[in-house]
């Protein structure tokens, strides 16, 4: 990575404004999964151990520029205090002089957390005045919120115009993992692309076709590709306005000599529900039935490619994995990736959720914390939150 990191700057006695991703799932005010908090701890602990005065900030949910009690970061402050074994006070009015006074109370090696930055409309609008107000709370800016790096918000890109800006360890780890697979992957390079919509993955597939040796397509998006090949897909998820796009991508794969594998069999159901009637079919899907998972022959074909791969990128589930009868394809491919000797990178979002739910995430080389950010990196886009950081000198 060609960006300077938090290791490259002296921190003792300085206020370190850290953008973290504490957008954790909550139920009745209780955090149900603290993975994102734990992922931030290496950077947090480095700043504190280096004598920095740590001012953390994050969003939680989408309160749309208004105060919403259920989106308060108070439970996150309490969770951080437990992890760190020290108090982490919550600073409320972050755009007021009182916030500057609160931060001034910090001693070297102490931390506080700002209230949800999305309580202020200036955050998502990247309002210069709100970015300047945030910048008054720090001497150095560190971005470790990879999951929001594709957003040009006040707390990601705006603040970096006012303070020297560095990458945290999580951002560094994410960028290096994706840089390695996109820049110098071990061959064969196999991409597994799933999810419900072709429209969400057009740029991804297009960019990958110049980098990979094979693309394995599953999930709802596969039915638009199958329709483009003249297959009957019954009542399956179908973007009829994207059939021509799918046809173009199939032709592009042939032109670039990339193997593009579509499902050859399907687990189908007569309704989109867990207790629907279901069966496995090869080839065309009958009218009134919908494909909700890849079938066993497809799984075998995909596993064969994964076993022979040097690099595997997985972005998107292969079926409706939230429903147990239609989770087998995703589970089998997740297990194959975990068992593979290849470098395995999971591209965040639903794929990461599936890997965690299936208990195989710890066996992957890298599981991204950012769905949208990882998708845009894989599409070949520049992320504003990373572009705003200092380059290595």
């Amino acid at each position: 990575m060609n960006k300077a990191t938090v290791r490259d700057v002296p921190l003792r006695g300085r206020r370190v404004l850290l953008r973290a991703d504490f957008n954790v799932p909550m139920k009745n005010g209780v955090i149900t999964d603290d993975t994102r908090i734990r992922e931030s701890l290496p950077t947090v602990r480095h700043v504190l151990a280096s004598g920095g005065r740590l001012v953390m900030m994050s969003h939680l949910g989408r309160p749309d520029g208004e105060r919403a009690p259920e989106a308060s970061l108070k439970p996150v402050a309490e969770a951080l205090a437990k992890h760190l074994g020290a108090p982490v006070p919550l600073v409320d009015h972050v755009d007021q002089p009182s916030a500057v006074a609160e931060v001034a109370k910090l001693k070297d090696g102490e931390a506080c957390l700002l209230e949800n930055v999305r309580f202020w409309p200036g955050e998502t609008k990247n309002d210069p005045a709100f970015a300047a107000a945030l910048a008054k709370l720090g001497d150095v800016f560190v971005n470790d919120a990879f999951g929001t790096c594709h957003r040009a918000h006040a707390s990601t890109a705006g603040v970096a115009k006012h303070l020297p800006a560095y990458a945290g360890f999580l951002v560094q780890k994410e960028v290096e993992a994706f840089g390695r697979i996109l820049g110098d992957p071990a061959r064969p390079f196999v991409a597994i692309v799933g999810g419900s919509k072709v429209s969400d993955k057009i740029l991804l597939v297009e960019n990958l076709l110049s980098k990979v040796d094979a693309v394995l397509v599953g999930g709802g998006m596969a039915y638009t590709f199958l329709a483009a090949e003249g297959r009957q897909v019954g009542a399956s998820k179908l973007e009829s306005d994207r059939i021509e796009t799918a046809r173009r991508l199939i032709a592009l794969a042939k032109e670039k000599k990339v193997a593009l594998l579509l499902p050859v069999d399907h687990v189908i159901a007569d309704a989109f529900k867990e207790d629907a009637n279901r069966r496995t079919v090869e080839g065309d899907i009958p009218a009134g039935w919908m494909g909700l998972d890849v079938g066993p022959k497809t799984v075998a074909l995909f596993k064969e490619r994964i076993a022979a791969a040097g690099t595997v990128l997985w972005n998107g589930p292969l079926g409706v994995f939230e429903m147990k009868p239609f989770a087998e394809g995703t589970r089998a491919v997740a297990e194959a990736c975990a068992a593979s000797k290849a470098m395995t990178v999971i591209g965040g979002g639903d794929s990461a959720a599936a890997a965690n739910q299936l208990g195989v995430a710890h066996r992957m080389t890298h599981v991204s914390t950012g769905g949208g950010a990882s998708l845009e990196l894989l599409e070949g886009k520049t992320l504003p939150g990373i572009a705003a950081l200092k380059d290595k000198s």
Side-chain angles (χ1 to χ4, degrees):
M1 188 177 81
N2 68 341
K3 295 294 181 180
T5 76
V6 66
R7 283 196 199 282
D8 299 322
V9 57
L11 301 176
R12 183 164 299 281
R14 304 176 82 182
R15 297 171 305 161
V16 180
L17 187 61
L18 172 68
R19 178 51 159 107
D21 185 1
F22 298 142
N23 185 31
V24 291
M26 307 260 285
K27 189 171 184 180
N28 300 323
V30 177
I31 297 168
T32 56
D33 181 355
D34 71 345
T35 301
R36 284 178 171 161
I37 293 173
R38 287 184 282 107
E39 288 280 2
S40 75
L41 291 177
T43 299
V44 167
R45 287 182 170 134
H46 172 79
V47 172
L48 298 177
S50 301
R53 302 176 181 194
L54 183 61
V55 182
M56 295 174 280
M57 57 180 174
S58 176
H59 75 284
L60 177 63
R62 298 187 178 187
D64 297 324
E66 296 182 1
R67 286 184 174 270
E70 69 277 7
S72 172
L73 285 173
K74 187 171 185 290
V76 173
E78 292 167 356
L80 282 163
K82 285 181 182 175
H83 279 293
L84 299 174
V88 178
L90 187 68
V91 178
D92 195 6
H93 298 284
V94 306
D95 60 343
Q96 300 296 320
S98 59
V100 178
E102 281 292 307
V103 169
K105 295 176 185 176
L106 291 176
K107 297 183 175 67
D108 294 2
E110 291 184 344
C112 67
L113 174 64
L114 306 183
E115 184 55 283
N116 190 340
V117 288
R118 287 192 185 170
F119 283 179
W120 287 265
E123 162 63 3
T124 55
K125 293 175 182 174
N126 196 10
D127 177 59
F130 185 60
L134 291 174
K136 285 179 182 174
L137 305 176
D139 304 306
V140 172
F141 172 57
V142 176
N143 192 344
D144 209 29
F146 179 73
T148 62
C149 278
H150 60 311
R151 307 289 190 201
H153 288 175
S155 68
T156 57
V159 167
K161 294 181 179 178
H162 300 273
L163 299 173
Y166 300 85
F169 298 141
L170 177 59
V171 164
Q172 180 186 17
K173 183 172 77 168
E174 294 270 13
V175 172
E176 286 179 350
F178 286 109
R180 186 172 156 197
I181 65 167
L182 293 174
D184 186 24
R187 301 283 177 180
F189 182 4
V190 174
I192 307 160
V193 183
S196 61
K197 293 181 179 179
V198 174
S199 50
D200 291 341
K201 304 287 172 80
I202 293 168
L203 292 174
L204 170 65
V205 174
E206 208 159 25
N207 192 46
L208 288 177
L209 285 175
S210 62
K211 302 177 186 299
V212 303
D213 301 294
V215 179
L216 319 181
V217 181
M221 66 183 289
Y223 301 105
T224 302
F225 277 90
L226 288 165
E229 288 198 332
R231 290 289 189 179
Q232 298 301 310
V233 297
S236 303
K237 176 85 178 176
L238 176 65
E239 292 174 278
S240 52
D241 60 331
R242 298 292 182 178
I243 288 175
E244 198 50 51
T245 300
R247 202 170 279 140
R248 179 176 62 80
L249 291 172
I250 291 168
L252 185 61
K254 286 178 182 171
E255 180 189 315
K256 293 185 175 290
K257 295 181 172 57
V258 173
L260 194 150
L261 277 66
L262 299 176
V264 295
D265 61 345
H266 319 269
V267 179
I268 62 172
D270 60 0
F272 189 82
K273 55 185 184 179
E274 197 153 352
D275 60 353
N277 295 311
R278 65 183 186 275
R279 56 194 173 103
T280 301
V281 297
E282 291 184 42
D284 292 342
I285 296 173
W289 291 73
M290 61 186 73
L292 296 182
D293 196 10
V294 293
K297 290 190 175 179
T298 302
V299 167
L301 285 172
F302 284 11
K303 285 173 72 173
E304 189 180 338
R305 289 279 179 169
I306 294 165
T311 303
V312 177
L313 167 69
W314 178 25
N315 186 283
L318 302 185
V320 187
F321 77 96
E322 299 89 347
M323 296 184 194
K324 193 173 181 181
F326 312 111
E328 179 56 26
T330 299
R331 187 204 62 75
V333 164
E335 284 285 353
C337 289
S340 169
K341 293 177 182 175
M343 178 180 183
T344 48
V345 175
I346 311 300
D350 287 340
S351 318
N356 282 313
Q357 185 177 310
L358 296 165
V360 297
H362 66 287
R363 293 162 60 196
M364 306 295 183
T365 308
H366 180 71
V367 179
S368 180
T369 57
S374 65
L375 189 60
E376 292 200 11
L377 259 189
L378 292 168
E379 289 171 353
K381 294 179 180 176
T382 299
L383 306 189
I386 292 172
L389 304 177
K390 286 171 68 74
D391 291 329
K392 278 191 182 293
S393 55

